[in-house]
Amino acid sequence: MDLDLSPQLPKKLYGGNGGSYYAWSSSELPMLRQGNIGAAKLALEKNGFALPRYSDSSKVAYVLQGSGVAGIVLPEKEEKVVAIKKGDALALPFGVVTWWYNKEDPELVVLFLGDTSKAHKAGEFTDFFLTGSNGIFTGFSTEFVGRAWDLEEKDVKILVGKQSENGIVKLDGSISLPEPKPDHRKGMALNCEEAPLDVDIKGGGRVVVLNTNNLPLVGEVGLGADLVRLDGSAMCSPGFSCDSALQVTYIVRGSGRVQVVGVDGKRVLETTVKAGNLFIVPRFFVVSKIADPDGMEWFSIITTPNPIFTHLAGSSSVWKALSPTVLQAAFNVDSGVEQLFRSKRTADAIFFPPPK
Protein backbone atom coordinates (compact mmCIF):
# COMPACT_ATOMS: atom_id res chain seq x y z
CA MET A 1 0.00 0.00 0.00
CA ASP A 2 1.34 3.47 -0.94
CA LEU A 3 2.23 5.79 1.92
CA ASP A 4 0.69 9.26 1.98
CA LEU A 5 3.33 11.50 3.55
CA SER A 6 1.95 14.78 2.21
CA PRO A 7 2.45 17.71 4.63
CA GLN A 8 -0.77 18.89 6.25
CA LEU A 9 -2.18 21.86 8.16
CA PRO A 10 -4.28 21.42 11.34
CA LYS A 11 -8.05 21.84 11.66
CA LYS A 12 -9.78 23.85 14.38
CA LEU A 13 -11.54 21.63 16.93
CA TYR A 14 -12.96 24.24 19.33
CA GLY A 15 -12.49 27.79 20.58
CA GLY A 16 -14.01 31.20 21.19
CA ASN A 17 -13.01 34.69 22.32
CA GLY A 18 -10.16 33.33 24.43
CA GLY A 19 -8.47 31.36 21.68
CA SER A 20 -8.63 28.13 19.71
CA TYR A 21 -7.38 24.56 19.74
CA TYR A 22 -6.29 22.87 16.51
CA ALA A 23 -5.27 19.30 15.72
CA TRP A 24 -3.95 17.27 12.83
CA SER A 25 -6.34 14.51 11.85
CA SER A 26 -5.12 10.93 11.55
CA SER A 27 -7.62 10.45 8.72
CA GLU A 28 -5.91 13.19 6.68
CA LEU A 29 -2.38 12.28 7.79
CA PRO A 30 -2.51 8.47 8.07
CA MET A 31 1.08 8.19 9.30
CA LEU A 32 -0.08 9.72 12.60
CA ARG A 33 -2.22 6.66 13.24
CA GLN A 34 0.33 4.20 11.88
CA GLY A 35 3.12 5.75 13.92
CA ASN A 36 1.01 6.37 17.06
CA ILE A 37 1.83 10.08 16.99
CA GLY A 38 -0.44 12.97 17.93
CA ALA A 39 -0.07 16.62 16.91
CA ALA A 40 -2.03 19.68 18.04
CA LYS A 41 -1.72 23.43 18.52
CA LEU A 42 -3.11 25.79 21.16
CA ALA A 43 -3.54 29.49 20.31
CA LEU A 44 -4.52 31.87 23.14
CA GLU A 45 -5.59 35.48 22.63
CA LYS A 46 -4.88 38.16 25.24
CA ASN A 47 -6.40 37.01 28.58
CA GLY A 48 -7.09 33.60 27.08
CA PHE A 49 -7.07 30.79 29.65
CA ALA A 50 -6.89 27.11 28.73
CA LEU A 51 -8.78 25.29 31.48
CA PRO A 52 -6.98 22.64 33.57
CA ARG A 53 -6.82 19.29 31.80
CA TYR A 54 -4.85 16.07 31.53
CA SER A 55 -4.24 13.95 28.46
CA ASP A 56 -4.13 10.29 27.47
CA SER A 57 -0.72 10.89 25.85
CA SER A 58 2.75 12.02 26.85
CA LYS A 59 3.86 15.10 24.88
CA VAL A 60 6.52 17.64 24.14
CA ALA A 61 5.21 21.21 24.04
CA TYR A 62 7.03 23.88 22.01
CA VAL A 63 6.18 27.60 22.14
CA LEU A 64 5.95 28.87 18.58
CA GLN A 65 4.94 32.45 19.33
CA GLY A 66 4.35 34.89 22.16
CA SER A 67 4.79 34.48 25.90
CA GLY A 68 2.62 33.46 28.81
CA VAL A 69 2.31 31.17 31.81
CA ALA A 70 1.97 27.40 32.12
CA GLY A 71 0.68 25.70 35.24
CA ILE A 72 1.99 22.15 35.60
CA VAL A 73 1.09 19.59 38.26
CA LEU A 74 2.99 16.31 38.08
CA PRO A 75 1.31 13.34 39.83
CA GLU A 76 1.43 13.80 43.61
CA LYS A 77 3.53 16.95 43.27
CA GLU A 78 2.95 20.65 43.93
CA GLU A 79 1.93 23.04 41.17
CA LYS A 80 4.74 24.54 39.11
CA VAL A 81 3.98 27.97 37.62
CA VAL A 82 6.35 28.48 34.71
CA ALA A 83 6.93 31.57 32.59
CA ILE A 84 7.05 30.50 28.93
CA LYS A 85 8.13 32.30 25.77
CA LYS A 86 8.91 31.67 22.12
CA GLY A 87 11.45 28.85 21.77
CA ASP A 88 10.62 27.11 25.05
CA ALA A 89 10.21 23.33 25.05
CA LEU A 90 8.46 21.47 27.89
CA ALA A 91 8.16 17.72 28.46
CA LEU A 92 4.71 16.64 29.68
CA PRO A 93 4.59 13.02 30.93
CA PHE A 94 1.46 10.90 31.45
CA GLY A 95 -0.82 12.11 34.22
CA VAL A 96 0.36 15.72 34.27
CA VAL A 97 -2.36 18.36 34.75
CA THR A 98 -1.75 21.62 32.88
CA TRP A 99 -3.31 25.03 32.40
CA TRP A 100 -2.12 27.79 30.05
CA TYR A 101 -2.61 31.56 30.18
CA ASN A 102 -1.75 34.49 27.91
CA LYS A 103 -1.74 37.80 29.76
CA GLU A 104 -0.65 40.05 26.89
CA ASP A 105 -0.57 40.53 23.14
CA PRO A 106 0.50 38.94 20.82
CA GLU A 107 -1.18 35.57 20.55
CA LEU A 108 0.45 32.73 22.49
CA VAL A 109 0.82 29.66 20.26
CA VAL A 110 1.99 26.29 21.62
CA LEU A 111 2.67 23.17 19.54
CA PHE A 112 2.10 19.71 21.05
CA LEU A 113 3.68 16.57 19.61
CA GLY A 114 3.44 13.25 21.41
CA ASP A 115 3.07 9.51 21.69
CA THR A 116 -0.44 8.07 21.32
CA SER A 117 0.48 4.39 21.69
CA LYS A 118 -1.62 4.24 24.89
CA ALA A 119 -4.25 6.74 23.80
CA HIS A 120 -7.94 6.09 23.21
CA LYS A 121 -7.49 6.86 19.52
CA ALA A 122 -4.24 6.10 17.70
CA GLY A 123 -2.84 9.28 16.17
CA GLU A 124 -4.97 11.66 18.24
CA PHE A 125 -4.78 13.28 21.68
CA THR A 126 -7.79 13.09 23.98
CA ASP A 127 -7.89 15.70 26.74
CA PHE A 128 -9.89 15.26 29.94
CA PHE A 129 -11.01 18.58 31.39
CA LEU A 130 -11.34 19.10 35.14
CA THR A 131 -13.81 21.98 34.76
CA GLY A 132 -16.08 23.52 32.14
CA SER A 133 -19.21 22.37 30.37
CA ASN A 134 -17.50 19.12 29.36
CA GLY A 135 -15.55 18.70 32.59
CA ILE A 136 -15.20 15.29 34.22
CA PHE A 137 -17.48 16.15 37.13
CA THR A 138 -20.41 17.11 34.93
CA GLY A 139 -20.79 13.37 34.39
CA PHE A 140 -21.03 12.44 38.07
CA SER A 141 -24.22 12.82 40.09
CA THR A 142 -24.34 15.61 42.69
CA GLU A 143 -24.47 12.89 45.33
CA PHE A 144 -21.15 11.40 44.26
CA VAL A 145 -19.46 14.80 43.89
CA GLY A 146 -20.85 16.01 47.21
CA ARG A 147 -19.56 12.90 48.99
CA ALA A 148 -16.15 13.22 47.34
CA TRP A 149 -15.70 16.93 48.07
CA ASP A 150 -17.65 17.02 51.35
CA LEU A 151 -20.03 19.68 50.01
CA GLU A 152 -23.77 20.25 50.08
CA GLU A 153 -25.72 19.74 46.86
CA LYS A 154 -26.26 23.47 46.25
CA ASP A 155 -22.52 24.13 46.47
CA VAL A 156 -21.77 21.23 44.13
CA LYS A 157 -24.15 22.65 41.53
CA ILE A 158 -22.39 26.04 41.67
CA LEU A 159 -18.90 24.58 41.37
CA VAL A 160 -19.71 22.12 38.59
CA GLY A 161 -22.21 24.22 36.65
CA LYS A 162 -20.95 27.81 36.92
CA GLN A 163 -18.32 27.50 34.17
CA SER A 164 -20.52 27.29 31.06
CA GLU A 165 -17.69 27.35 28.51
CA ASN A 166 -15.41 24.50 27.57
CA GLY A 167 -11.70 24.16 26.93
CA ILE A 168 -10.71 27.82 26.56
CA VAL A 169 -12.17 30.91 28.21
CA LYS A 170 -11.39 34.64 28.15
CA LEU A 171 -10.79 36.13 31.61
CA ASP A 172 -12.07 39.63 32.34
CA GLY A 173 -9.22 40.71 34.56
CA SER A 174 -11.05 40.31 37.86
CA ILE A 175 -8.95 37.24 38.75
CA SER A 176 -5.18 37.39 39.15
CA LEU A 177 -3.68 34.05 38.24
CA PRO A 178 -0.49 32.98 40.02
CA GLU A 179 2.70 34.70 38.96
CA PRO A 180 5.44 32.44 37.56
CA LYS A 181 8.36 31.58 39.82
CA PRO A 182 11.86 31.60 38.31
CA ASP A 183 12.94 28.48 40.23
CA HIS A 184 9.99 26.54 38.79
CA ARG A 185 11.55 26.63 35.30
CA LYS A 186 14.46 24.44 36.37
CA GLY A 187 13.97 20.98 34.92
CA MET A 188 10.61 21.93 33.42
CA ALA A 189 11.52 24.05 30.37
CA LEU A 190 14.43 24.61 28.01
CA ASN A 191 14.62 27.48 25.57
CA CYS A 192 15.87 25.98 22.32
CA GLU A 193 16.70 29.38 20.84
CA GLU A 194 19.04 30.24 23.74
CA ALA A 195 20.47 26.81 24.62
CA PRO A 196 24.05 25.85 23.65
CA LEU A 197 24.24 24.65 20.06
CA ASP A 198 24.88 20.96 19.41
CA VAL A 199 25.74 21.67 15.77
CA ASP A 200 26.83 24.99 14.26
CA ILE A 201 27.92 25.05 10.60
CA LYS A 202 28.79 28.45 9.13
CA GLY A 203 26.54 29.13 6.16
CA GLY A 204 24.80 25.80 6.73
CA GLY A 205 22.71 25.57 9.86
CA ARG A 206 22.40 25.08 13.61
CA VAL A 207 20.83 22.43 15.83
CA VAL A 208 19.76 22.23 19.46
CA VAL A 209 18.90 18.71 20.60
CA LEU A 210 16.44 18.15 23.44
CA ASN A 211 17.35 15.02 25.40
CA THR A 212 17.68 13.59 28.90
CA ASN A 213 20.84 15.62 29.52
CA ASN A 214 19.33 19.09 29.17
CA LEU A 215 15.70 18.27 30.03
CA PRO A 216 15.52 15.03 32.08
CA LEU A 217 11.72 14.81 31.89
CA VAL A 218 11.96 13.78 28.22
CA GLY A 219 13.04 10.39 29.57
CA GLU A 220 9.60 10.00 31.17
CA VAL A 221 7.92 11.20 27.99
CA GLY A 222 9.94 8.76 25.88
CA LEU A 223 10.61 11.30 23.15
CA GLY A 224 13.55 13.33 21.94
CA ALA A 225 13.31 16.59 20.02
CA ASP A 226 15.38 19.12 18.15
CA LEU A 227 15.18 22.63 16.74
CA VAL A 228 16.95 22.99 13.40
CA ARG A 229 17.67 26.30 11.65
CA LEU A 230 18.83 25.88 8.06
CA ASP A 231 20.42 28.89 6.35
CA GLY A 232 19.21 30.18 2.99
CA SER A 233 19.65 27.63 0.16
CA ALA A 234 21.63 25.31 2.48
CA MET A 235 21.11 21.54 2.49
CA CYS A 236 20.53 19.13 5.36
CA SER A 237 22.42 15.88 4.72
CA PRO A 238 20.42 12.79 3.71
CA GLY A 239 20.08 10.61 6.80
CA PHE A 240 17.90 8.28 8.82
CA SER A 241 17.19 7.38 12.42
CA CYS A 242 19.11 4.16 13.05
CA ASP A 243 17.25 3.27 16.26
CA SER A 244 13.88 2.61 14.60
CA ALA A 245 12.46 6.01 15.56
CA LEU A 246 9.91 8.04 13.63
CA GLN A 247 10.61 11.70 12.88
CA VAL A 248 7.70 14.13 13.13
CA THR A 249 8.55 17.57 11.75
CA TYR A 250 6.74 20.90 12.07
CA ILE A 251 7.95 23.79 9.92
CA VAL A 252 8.27 26.79 12.24
CA ARG A 253 9.52 29.39 9.76
CA GLY A 254 10.45 29.75 6.11
CA SER A 255 10.11 27.16 3.38
CA GLY A 256 12.09 24.64 1.38
CA ARG A 257 12.12 21.38 -0.52
CA VAL A 258 11.96 17.92 1.04
CA GLN A 259 12.63 14.48 -0.41
CA VAL A 260 12.04 11.18 1.42
CA VAL A 261 13.19 7.83 0.01
CA GLY A 262 12.05 4.46 1.32
CA VAL A 263 12.13 0.77 0.45
CA ASP A 264 13.72 -0.26 -2.87
CA GLY A 265 14.94 3.28 -3.52
CA LYS A 266 11.41 4.58 -4.04
CA ARG A 267 10.97 8.31 -3.55
CA VAL A 268 7.84 8.50 -1.41
CA LEU A 269 7.77 12.27 -0.91
CA GLU A 270 8.96 15.21 -2.98
CA THR A 271 7.36 18.48 -2.05
CA THR A 272 7.79 22.06 -0.90
CA VAL A 273 7.04 22.67 2.77
CA LYS A 274 6.25 25.99 4.44
CA ALA A 275 5.57 27.39 7.90
CA GLY A 276 2.69 25.53 9.59
CA ASN A 277 3.16 22.25 7.70
CA LEU A 278 3.59 18.97 9.54
CA PHE A 279 4.99 15.80 8.01
CA ILE A 280 6.31 12.43 9.19
CA VAL A 281 9.30 10.37 8.10
CA PRO A 282 8.73 6.61 8.62
CA ARG A 283 11.25 4.38 10.41
CA PHE A 284 14.54 3.92 8.53
CA PHE A 285 13.42 6.08 5.58
CA VAL A 286 16.01 8.62 4.42
CA VAL A 287 15.13 12.33 4.40
CA SER A 288 16.92 15.39 3.06
CA LYS A 289 15.93 19.07 2.94
CA ILE A 290 17.08 22.15 1.00
CA ALA A 291 16.01 25.56 2.30
CA ASP A 292 14.65 28.30 0.08
CA PRO A 293 16.73 31.53 -0.10
CA ASP A 294 15.18 32.93 3.11
CA GLY A 295 16.08 29.81 5.10
CA MET A 296 13.93 27.31 6.98
CA GLU A 297 13.43 26.38 10.63
CA TRP A 298 11.75 23.27 11.99
CA PHE A 299 10.97 21.55 15.29
CA SER A 300 10.92 17.75 15.32
CA ILE A 301 10.22 15.01 17.78
CA ILE A 302 11.83 11.61 17.51
CA THR A 303 10.17 8.61 19.15
CA THR A 304 13.12 7.87 21.45
CA PRO A 305 14.53 10.12 24.20
CA ASN A 306 18.14 9.95 22.96
CA PRO A 307 18.00 9.54 19.16
CA ILE A 308 20.89 8.36 17.00
CA PHE A 309 21.14 9.31 13.34
CA THR A 310 23.14 7.88 10.47
CA HIS A 311 24.12 10.44 7.82
CA LEU A 312 24.74 9.52 4.21
CA ALA A 313 26.90 12.51 3.28
CA GLY A 314 29.75 14.34 4.99
CA SER A 315 32.91 13.23 6.79
CA SER A 316 30.97 11.39 9.51
CA SER A 317 28.88 9.45 6.98
CA VAL A 318 28.99 5.71 6.54
CA TRP A 319 30.72 6.23 3.18
CA LYS A 320 33.89 7.46 4.87
CA ALA A 321 33.92 4.43 7.17
CA LEU A 322 33.63 1.82 4.42
CA SER A 323 36.80 0.44 2.81
CA PRO A 324 37.75 1.83 -0.62
CA THR A 325 37.48 -1.55 -2.32
CA VAL A 326 34.07 -2.13 -0.75
CA LEU A 327 32.86 1.12 -2.33
CA GLN A 328 34.38 0.17 -5.70
CA ALA A 329 32.56 -3.15 -5.65
CA ALA A 330 29.31 -1.68 -4.35
CA PHE A 331 29.17 1.17 -6.89
CA ASN A 332 30.83 -0.93 -9.63
CA VAL A 333 33.37 1.83 -10.32
CA ASP A 334 37.17 2.01 -10.61
CA SER A 335 39.51 3.40 -7.97
CA GLY A 336 39.67 6.83 -9.62
CA VAL A 337 35.93 7.40 -9.24
CA GLU A 338 36.03 6.03 -5.69
CA GLN A 339 38.86 8.41 -4.76
CA LEU A 340 36.97 11.36 -6.27
CA PHE A 341 33.88 10.43 -4.26
CA ARG A 342 35.87 10.00 -1.03
CA SER A 343 37.69 13.32 -1.52
CA LYS A 344 34.43 15.31 -1.36
CA ARG A 345 32.60 16.49 1.77
CA THR A 346 35.62 16.06 4.04
CA ALA A 347 34.43 18.56 6.66
CA ASP A 348 32.62 17.26 9.73
CA ALA A 349 29.19 18.59 8.82
CA ILE A 350 25.58 17.58 8.37
CA PHE A 351 24.64 20.91 6.72
CA PHE A 352 26.06 22.03 3.41
CA PRO A 353 26.08 25.69 2.30
CA PRO A 354 24.80 26.44 -1.23
CA PRO A 355 27.28 25.98 -4.10
CA LYS A 356 29.37 29.07 -4.83
Side-chain angles (χ1 to χ4, degrees):
M1 186 175 71
D2 290 338
L3 291 172
D4 182 3
L5 303 181
S6 304
Q8 298 290 339
L9 296 170
K11 298 291 179 63
K12 180 178 175 178
L13 295 189
Y14 62 84
N17 292 334
S20 301
Y21 182 83
Y22 304 82
W24 280 264
S25 168
S26 59
S27 61
E28 295 184 3
L29 194 56
M31 277 301 300
L32 288 174
R33 181 172 56 251
Q34 295 175 33
N36 275 314
I37 296 294
K41 194 159 62 171
L42 173 68
L44 293 179
E45 303 289 346
K46 182 178 180 179
N47 292 323
F49 177 52
L51 297 174
R53 81 284 304 278
Y54 62 92
S55 175
D56 64 355
S57 304
S58 56
K59 308 172 185 174
V60 172
Y62 182 72
V63 181
L64 296 169
Q65 174 185 305
S67 61
V69 180
I72 302 171
V73 182
L74 295 168
E76 300 182 353
K77 303 286 185 179
E78 294 183 351
E79 179 186 54
K80 301 280 189 181
V81 183
V82 180
I84 57 173
K85 64 179 182 178
K86 182 178 179 293
D88 275 348
L90 302 91
L92 305 175
F94 281 114
V96 65
V97 172
T98 64
W99 55 263
W100 309 80
Y101 178 57
N102 182 19
K103 189 177 181 179
E104 306 289 346
D105 288 323
E107 192 177 48
L108 171 66
V109 183
V110 183
L111 173 72
F112 299 97
L113 301 174
D115 175 16
T116 65
S117 60
K118 298 180 181 178
H120 285 268
K121 297 179 182 178
E124 296 181 24
F125 300 137
T126 299
D127 287 337
F128 295 82
F129 295 92
L130 300 189
T131 66
S133 62
N134 60 344
I136 289 293
F137 287 93
T138 61
F140 282 104
S141 67
T142 53
E143 177 196 359
F144 270 59
V145 179
R147 288 279 297 273
W149 292 351
D150 191 23
L151 291 174
E152 294 182 7
E153 182 176 331
K154 62 180 180 63
D155 297 317
V156 169
K157 289 181 177 179
I158 292 173
L159 273 173
V160 174
K162 187 72 172 178
Q163 181 55 270
S164 59
E165 297 185 62
N166 69 288
I168 300 170
V169 301
K170 190 177 183 71
L171 302 183
D172 60 10
S174 62
I175 295 178
S176 295
L177 293 182
E179 290 294 324
K181 299 181 179 180
D183 60 313
H184 283 186
R185 270 187 68 90
K186 185 177 181 180
M188 299 300 299
L190 176 76
N191 191 277
C192 296
E193 295 184 353
E194 299 173 356
L197 296 171
D198 293 280
V199 177
D200 186 6
I201 306 299
K202 185 178 180 181
R206 290 151 298 284
V207 182
V208 170
V209 178
L210 194 70
N211 54 36
T212 54
N213 293 323
N214 52 23
L215 193 60
L217 271 178
V218 300
E220 294 186 35
V221 173
L223 301 169
D226 58 24
L227 176 68
V228 180
R229 285 166 281 185
L230 195 60
D231 291 336
S233 302
M235 180 183 196
C236 182
S237 164
F240 65 94
S241 171
C242 57
D243 46 10
S244 76
L246 287 163
Q247 299 176 61
V248 185
T249 298
Y250 176 87
I251 306 300
V252 175
R253 180 191 61 82
S255 60
R257 290 178 290 147
V258 177
Q259 291 186 358
V260 178
V261 175
V263 180
D264 293 329
K266 182 179 180 182
R267 189 184 307 157
V268 293
L269 180 66
E270 180 175 16
T271 190
T272 296
V273 292
K274 59 184 181 180
N277 282 156
L278 183 99
F279 69 97
I280 300 175
V281 179
R283 292 177 176 90
F284 301 109
F285 282 35
V286 178
V287 59
S288 185
K289 309 176 186 75
I290 297 178
D292 285 341
D294 290 334
M296 183 165 62
E297 180 177 326
W298 64 86
F299 184 80
S300 296
I301 65 163
I302 304 95
T303 55
T304 180
N306 295 296
I308 302 173
F309 288 95
T310 292
H311 294 282
L312 299 177
S315 66
S316 59
S317 72
V318 66
W319 302 120
K320 305 300 185 185
L322 289 170
S323 304
T325 52
V326 170
L327 292 186
Q328 290 178 47
F331 281 122
N332 191 24
V333 296
D334 60 30
S335 61
V337 175
E338 188 279 329
Q339 289 171 12
L340 173 66
F341 176 59
R342 188 177 293 276
S343 70
K344 302 295 185 179
R345 298 295 186 206
T346 57
D348 184 13
I350 61 171
F351 300 126
F352 310 128
K356 295 180 180 180

